[in-house]
Amino acid sequence: MALDTAAERSIHELEERLRAAATSHPPLVLTPAWFQQHLLDWASSDPDFRVKLLRFVDVLPALRSASAVSDHVRQYFRGVHQPLIGATAGIASTPVFRPILSRVVREGVFAMAGRFIAGATPEEAVPALAALARDDVAYTVDLLGEETLSDAEADAYLERYLQLIRTLSAAENVTPPGAQWADVPHVNISVKLSALCPHLEPAAPEWVSTAARERLRPLLRQAMESGAFINFDMEQFRYKDLLHTAFADALLEPEFSAYPHAGIVVQAYLRDAAADVGRLRELAERRGTPFSVRLVKGAYWDEEVIVAGQNGWPAPVFTGKAETDESFDRCTDALVAAWPHLRPAFGTHNPASIAQAIVKWREAGLRPQDAEFQMLYGMAEGLRGAVAGLGLRTRVYVPVGQVIPGMAYLVRRLLENTSNQAWFMAAPSETAKSAMPARPAVGALDRINNSPPTPLFEPQMRAEMLAALAQRRKDFGREYPLLIGERAVLDRPRSRIEYQCEPGTIIGEVAQATLADVDEAVAAANAAFPAWRDTPAAARGDILRRAAGLLEDRRFALAALMVYESGKPWHEADGDVSEAADYLRYYSAQAEDLETPRLMGHVAGEHNEYFHRGRGVAAIIAPWNFPLAIICGMAVGAIAGGNAAILKPAGQSPLIAAELVSILREAGVPPGVVQYLPGRGGEAGQALVEHPGVDIIAFTGSNAVGLGIIEAAAKTKPGQHNVKRVIAEMGGKNAVIIDEDADLDQAIEGVIASAFGYAGQKCSACSRLVIAGSAYEEAAARLANAVRSLVVGPPHLPETFVPPVINEDARRKIEGYIEGARGYAKLLVQGRTPDAPGPYVPPTVFSNVPLDSPLAQEEVFGPVLAVFRADTFDEALAIAADSAFALTGGVYSRNPRNIAQARASMRVGSLYVNRKVTGAIPARQPFGGMRMSGIGEKAGGPDYVRQFMEPYTQSENTMRRGFAPEEG
Ligand code: NAD
């Protein structure tokens, strides 16, 4: 908005007045004073201490005894250089002080929470609301709670919201008296979509809207009945579209379309904030009844930056404070212009932002009482008084609830209060770094730019995925030939691949290799090998990197094929493409390094080189569950290392492998170097394993088949010129431990993802859950409710979390385990399956599982979880260790000592702390097991390509007639 200089001057004057008011008011009322004052000050000046403090505050409510509190104080703050804290940590080691210390610390943190949270229940909060009303300030109440992981928890949340409206309607003395409040509902609550819907799938806004409106309708009805205002809070960026869709759909329903007392939030720190205002204005115009928009800066800045960094996405937020302030101003203009369709509420503690909103509003000729100013409870009280003193509608956002589930809120406020503004100005990477403990630097070779997952929360991306699924349907029925050398061979018996959710729908047909085909392919590979080996690794790498680009260009088409062929839900299929592209890039770099001669020793008169070259012909025998990534990783390990690869995909997933081979060839891999040989495992697979012309076998699959291959490969055949090397990645029976002090919101969510993502058909899946001590009852109950709420359905629908298993054979086998377990364990919960065709297995959890039972020891490879109770953390570790497999393992704990103990004693290939145990990313979490889970270097790890190569030493005597050049 163009302002004249007079207006600019009045903004400036007003800003100065507000700023003076803001700083004149003492910011805190502190009890116990020493604790809060010092902590917040220190945290502001010491990033390391700030991390410790935030983590401690986060875990404290979950500590159920005095000794647990003092133990954590000691562990968290030992070595902290602040004298008071250091002394406190010291006192914590003296038993007699523990109860006192525990009380003081608890009271300190709870008092700190009490500054930002008005009460544990709505009733308790009423006096605080009445106090605000006396200052002519209104409220909006936000109910703090645990993360909603199930329908049962969402129902409970809805009930709390309804009760909240009733309680507030009946409360007395909570209405501010000023004339500016004349036409405004006095009951005002803020709700979160995440509270009302346990399955916030960013890729499925329509589904989420439908599910969420089941609970939004009763809420809106109650609001209309009581004349209450409902504001829908914005949360993380990935959920923004979900909220916009559900909000729009609800407000356009005839029953609610004329109700004006609803609102939504726009976060100015988002790069597309101004577009959000535009979109909301259109909605309001279409609806014909206005609604409110609360403009805020945004409260999830740290998280947004970290999540974007982890996924390789551009940050959705502005990274500088000034840019956010400018965005706030732009959105203010848009809101002023959108009157009367949108009713603005400016939620900010920035005197400049408030001043410009006030003046712009006035300049536009609008009534002061039609705009609202909102601030957070316990913050900026002086500023609030000054704004209210101008006779403007001033409202406070008041969180109400228990401190324990309110911790996430408290941590966000503490982040803000200890930020000193500095963090907000820093580049994102620096902020993220300051929050991490110091670690050794990552070597250049182990840093790749991972292929980012598709941000399916973006409408354009969803549209592309839907288009790719539709296009695939048009291509159904294609025929896939064998690719042997230069020949494409189709006249063989065929295997037909069916979409399991639509019996009779044939996705494609693939020729099956005969034994003669195996011979021919091995001969072609041997013929092509020497030239490929002698092609410089850098040139091989250029080809493979080109292939990575092609995979990414066709990522939707490839993912769509995996959806149909392997029953992979959208995110899983998309992740498979990223993983495949990562292998291509990472292994190319590794091969270049391995091939480059390394000088050894340092002695005059000799020149010693050590380097690697390709070994020969590799048979790649792959499973169906990561149908693109695993076969690609194994094949590319071989090809990058200068070998010729023959790909034998699993019988269930040959089609995607054919497309991979075509892409590798298109990128420039010679036909003899990459060949496609689908066929039965027991025939073509076995023949490859036993063939004398094969030098390397890279296998990923079941334990039984893998051990058979190791045995068969050990037998030397006539004419064989190489001892076969076998790389075998096999099954798992992976355990996750939930410690007593674990964050259960995080733990249950992680266990659900690990155990039931892709119907548990991952070698890394969690199939055993061990819950320690006092966490058991609550964790088991929340888990059971979460399992009941899982969305089971066909993989082509974006909302599906648990798809059917791979085929009828697998279903029968898994059902056999479930039936067997009913006889020796207790069925804790069994989820739903849709009444539709497809080999569905309901997500199933058993407790009281004997340690020596099949469910405790054998790989089931389906959505079945065994739960164990352990009295102590040590016992939990022992249960977790009780397995022949050693692939992945996980621990949810906030106890540094227990985490250290788990790191030291859990002998699994990949240990995950406070995160899910699936979803390893190449060059970040190298992946592979030990014991019966496999032999071989880790996939996506620094040593992977080496095992496909042979090491050479060459030593030359450089001394002639007693003279030698310098070595070096
Ligand atoms: P599978 O063992 O049945 O089949 C794997 C491959 O081996 C297929 O291509 C199959 O055709 C072939 N094969 C079967 N019999 C053969 C024989 N006699 N000789 C040669 N090849 C033969 O496994 P699957 O059902 O495809 O995959 C699931 C299994 O894979 C699970 O056990 C899972 O844990 C394991 N897996 C392990 C990892 C890992 O990295 N450790 C990764 C994914 C899957």
Side-chain angles (χ1 to χ4, degrees):
M1 179 188 279
L3 289 174
D4 56 27
T5 34
E8 277 179 9
R9 203 171 328 114
S10 45
I11 291 180
H12 189 68
E13 281 166 16
L14 187 53
E15 179 190 339
E16 288 308 312
R17 265 167 62 201
L18 294 174
R19 205 174 285 285
T23 46
S24 70
H25 197 280
L28 306 172
V29 183
L30 301 173
T31 43
W34 66 267
F35 197 81
Q36 285 190 20
Q37 218 155 25
H38 293 287
L39 286 186
L40 293 181
D41 287 353
W42 288 335
S44 305
S45 59
D46 180 346
D48 179 50
F49 177 63
R50 179 165 174 256
V51 170
K52 288 181 169 155
L53 176 68
L54 288 169
R55 291 194 169 170
F56 179 73
V57 165
D58 175 55
V59 69
L60 181 73
L63 304 179
R64 298 174 180 94
S65 67
S67 64
V69 172
S70 47
D71 184 27
H72 281 69
V73 166
R74 200 167 62 238
Q75 294 194 59
Y76 275 61
F77 298 109
R78 202 171 21 206
V80 165
H81 295 306
Q82 305 294 348
L84 206 44
I85 297 296
T88 311
I91 290 172
S93 25
T94 317
V96 286
F97 290 126
R98 280 182 197 160
I100 307 168
L101 178 80
S102 165
R103 209 179 59 235
V104 172
V105 170
R106 244 175 204 285
E107 280 175 7
V109 173
F110 276 62
M112 197 148 67
R115 213 188 113 205
F116 301 110
I117 300 173
T121 62
E123 289 79 4
E124 267 184 35
V126 167
L129 306 183
L132 291 172
R134 283 196 293 280
D135 290 344
D136 214 5
V137 170
Y139 66 84
T140 180
V141 167
D142 158 51
L143 276 187
L144 298 174
E146 279 159 343
E147 215 142 288
T148 297
L149 302 174
S150 61
D151 286 314
E153 291 178 4
D155 286 341
Y157 230 123
L158 170 62
E159 195 42 53
R160 286 177 66 206
Y161 280 137
L162 296 174
Q163 187 56 42
L164 174 68
I165 295 178
R166 291 192 283 263
T167 305
L168 293 175
S169 301
E172 289 175 3
N173 304 324
V174 294
T175 311
Q180 70 274 29
W181 299 106
D183 311 322
V184 180
H186 94 255
V187 174
N188 188 312
I189 70 168
S190 290
V191 305
K192 291 197 167 51
L193 190 68
S194 64
L196 295 172
C197 183
H199 185 55
L200 285 189
E201 171 49 66
E206 288 80 19
W207 185 92
V208 170
S209 169
T210 305
R213 274 179 291 147
E214 291 297 317
R215 295 191 182 89
L216 290 181
R217 284 187 202 103
L219 189 60
L220 285 165
R221 274 180 208 128
Q222 172 83 61
M224 284 168 71
E225 214 178 290
S226 315
F229 183 100
I230 299 200
N231 198 76
F232 293 86
D233 283 358
M234 197 56 77
E235 300 173 72
Q236 289 89 344
F237 175 65
R238 59 187 177 278
Y239 303 137
K240 190 183 78 174
D241 242 29
L242 302 182
L243 179 56
H244 273 274
T245 307
F247 180 77
D249 291 349
L251 259 59
L252 289 172
E253 287 189 7
E255 191 181 353
F256 308 116
S257 62
Y259 194 62
H261 302 308
I264 190 168
V265 172
V266 168
Q267 296 160 315
Y269 66 9
L270 292 181
R271 293 180 185 277
D272 51 6
D276 289 339
V277 178
R279 175 175 168 180
L280 292 169
R281 177 182 175 158
E282 270 171 39
L283 170 64
E285 288 181 23
R286 185 145 50 98
R287 183 178 181 241
T289 307
F291 57 82
S292 297
V293 170
R294 179 198 297 151
L295 177 63
V296 301
K297 194 180 280 178
Y300 300 84
W301 190 88
D302 286 69
E303 182 179 342
E304 298 292 4
V305 170
I306 292 172
V307 168
Q310 285 178 339
N311 287 292
W313 296 325
V317 293
F318 293 112
T319 47
K321 181 182 178 320
E323 286 172 294
T324 298
D325 287 343
E326 282 162 25
S327 168
F328 197 99
D329 293 357
R330 274 196 305 278
C331 291
T332 300
D333 292 342
L335 282 173
V336 171
W339 176 268
H341 308 291
L342 298 179
R343 299 173 170 176
F346 300 100
T348 171
H349 297 164
N350 182 344
S353 300
I354 296 175
Q356 58 95 22
I358 293 174
V359 173
K360 284 173 176 170
W361 193 251
R362 206 170 51 206
E363 290 283 308
L366 300 169
R367 301 190 313 167
Q369 64 267 38
D370 287 330
E372 194 163 295
F373 294 84
Q374 297 193 1
M375 288 164 220
L376 297 173
Y377 183 72
M379 292 171 69
E381 277 129 349
L383 183 65
R384 184 182 84 203
V387 176
L390 294 172
L392 296 167
R393 272 166 52 193
T394 310
R395 188 182 297 281
V396 167
Y397 185 89
V398 185
V400 169
Q402 304 282 343
V403 174
I404 297 180
M407 270 304 145
Y409 178 82
L410 180 61
V411 168
R412 278 206 300 282
R413 294 288 82 82
L414 289 176
L415 272 171
E416 234 165 56
N417 274 268
T418 56
S419 72
N420 241 347
Q421 295 290 337
W423 62 272
F424 202 63
M425 314 273 277
S429 53
E430 283 166 37
T431 312
K433 259 188 261 158
S434 72
M436 304 288 276
R439 300 263 160 85
V442 178
L445 258 185
D446 299 323
R447 243 178 223 274
I448 58 166
N449 287 328
N450 291 102
S451 179
T454 302
L456 286 166
F457 45 78
E458 288 181 13
Q460 178 58 27
M461 299 291 132
R462 292 196 294 275
E464 291 210 35
M465 186 64 190
L466 285 171
L469 286 163
Q471 183 58 45
R472 277 288 172 193
R473 273 192 186 275
K474 290 194 193 132
D475 295 344
F476 274 177
R478 242 183 85 185
E479 296 171 325
Y480 292 79
L482 311 175
L483 299 172
I484 302 178
E486 304 277 357
R487 294 202 312 133
V489 182
L490 203 50
D491 59 338
R492 294 284 181 275
R494 308 279 177 84
S495 167
R496 306 172 98 199
I497 304 297
E498 195 177 56
Y499 181 32
Q500 296 291 323
C501 292
E502 295 172 15
T505 300
I506 302 301
I507 305 167
E509 287 188 10
V510 63
Q512 298 288 286
T514 62
L515 297 184
D517 294 326
V518 173
D519 285 337
E520 190 183 332
V522 173
N526 273 291
F529 162 63
W532 185 247
R533 176 195 57 205
D534 298 338
T535 303
R540 299 198 300 263
D542 286 343
I543 293 174
L544 297 177
R545 282 183 284 268
R546 198 175 309 138
L550 291 174
L551 281 181
E552 286 173 328
D553 291 348
R554 295 173 205 171
R555 75 159 48 234
F556 291 104
L558 295 166
L561 178 55
M562 286 186 270
V563 167
Y564 292 121
E565 185 180 31
S566 300
K568 288 219 138 185
W570 287 26
H571 292 284
E572 309 267 358
D574 179 69
D576 231 73
V577 181
S578 293
E579 188 178 335
D582 286 350
Y583 288 132
L584 283 155
R585 298 198 172 103
Y586 189 33
Y587 293 166
S588 301
Q590 254 175 50
E592 285 175 43
D593 184 55
L594 287 163
E595 201 168 278
T596 308
R598 205 160 123 178
L599 298 186
M600 308 293 294
H602 193 76
V603 175
E606 66 183 49
H607 175 87
N608 303 316
E609 282 186 7
Y610 174 72
F611 58 88
H612 291 78
R613 290 286 183 273
R615 186 176 164 87
V617 172
I620 308 299
I621 302 180
W624 49 265
N625 66 332
F626 287 88
L628 177 60
I630 290 184
I631 198 164
C632 177
M634 293 195 294
V636 169
I639 295 170
N643 304 279
I646 301 171
L647 280 68
K648 209 300 284 171
Q652 299 88 336
S653 61
L655 308 185
I656 187 75
E659 303 213 351
L660 169 69
V661 172
S662 301
I663 285 175
L664 289 170
R665 288 182 168 199
E666 186 182 333
V669 179
V673 173
V674 61
Q675 303 183 78
Y676 174 63
L677 210 64
R680 296 173 66 90
E683 291 169 18
Q686 183 98 23
L688 275 172
V689 167
E690 294 175 359
H691 203 289
V694 166
D695 306 288
I696 307 168
I697 298 150
F699 167 83
T700 303
S702 64
N703 205 248
V705 174
L707 295 179
I709 287 178
I710 291 167
E711 205 174 313
K715 293 205 184 88
T716 315
K717 289 269 179 74
Q720 187 169 327
H721 51 81
N722 217 335
V723 179
K724 290 181 203 231
R725 172 172 292 171
V726 182
I727 299 154
E729 303 293 342
M730 301 182 287
K733 187 73 197 174
N734 312 298
V736 171
I737 296 174
I738 296 184
D739 195 2
E740 289 193 289
D741 70 348
D743 174 347
L744 289 186
D745 286 351
Q746 187 190 51
I748 301 301
E749 198 186 341
V751 167
I752 289 282
S754 305
F756 302 110
Y758 191 35
Q761 303 172 108
K762 300 182 186 180
C763 49
S764 52
C766 164
S767 56
R768 297 182 294 144
L769 173 64
V770 192
I771 308 174
S774 58
Y776 187 88
E777 307 300 337
E778 192 183 342
R782 294 193 72 190
L783 173 72
N785 279 330
V787 169
R788 280 188 198 101
S789 312
L790 287 174
V791 179
V792 184
H796 66 266
L797 297 180
E799 65 270 19
T800 290
F801 184 72
V802 183
V805 298
I806 188 72
N807 56 25
E808 270 304 318
D809 286 349
R811 190 190 66 77
R812 271 192 297 275
K813 187 175 153 231
I814 300 163
E815 289 288 359
Y817 274 104
I818 294 175
E819 282 317 305
R822 284 178 195 276
Y824 57 77
K826 178 167 170 267
L827 182 67
L828 183 68
V829 64
Q830 189 155 48
R832 295 176 294 217
T833 54
D835 187 15
Y840 288 100
V841 176
T844 305
V845 184
F846 285 96
S847 60
N848 296 15
V849 181
L851 286 174
D852 58 355
S853 62
L855 204 59
Q857 295 296 337
E858 294 171 20
E859 186 183 48
V860 177
F861 222 59
V864 185
L865 178 66
V867 178
F868 304 85
R869 182 198 287 263
D871 287 339
T872 62
F873 192 71
D874 281 338
E875 192 188 337
L877 287 172
I879 294 172
D882 183 10
S883 172
F885 295 104
L887 192 48
T888 69
V891 180
Y892 284 90
S893 175
R894 288 177 286 190
N895 183 326
R897 191 181 42 246
N898 288 357
I899 292 174
Q901 197 185 345
R903 280 178 183 275
S905 67
M906 284 180 81
R907 307 218 166 270
V908 291
S910 300
L911 175 65
Y912 295 99
V913 181
N914 290 328
R915 54 151 287 175
K916 63 180 181 170
V917 298
T918 53
I921 296 175
R924 275 160 68 180
Q925 294 95 19
F927 184 81
M930 296 160 340
R931 293 159 58 105
M932 286 301 155
S933 292
I935 44 166
E937 296 296 345
K938 286 193 170 6
D943 301 309
Y944 190 73
V945 176
R946 187 189 301 271
Q947 57 192 345
F948 290 88
M949 300 180 84
E950 278 170 336
Y952 289 76
T953 297
Q954 294 181 348
S955 180
E956 182 181 346
N957 172 10
T958 56
M959 186 168 70
R960 309 243 170 109
R961 307 264 168 228
F963 168 77
E966 287 255 333
E967 264 307 300

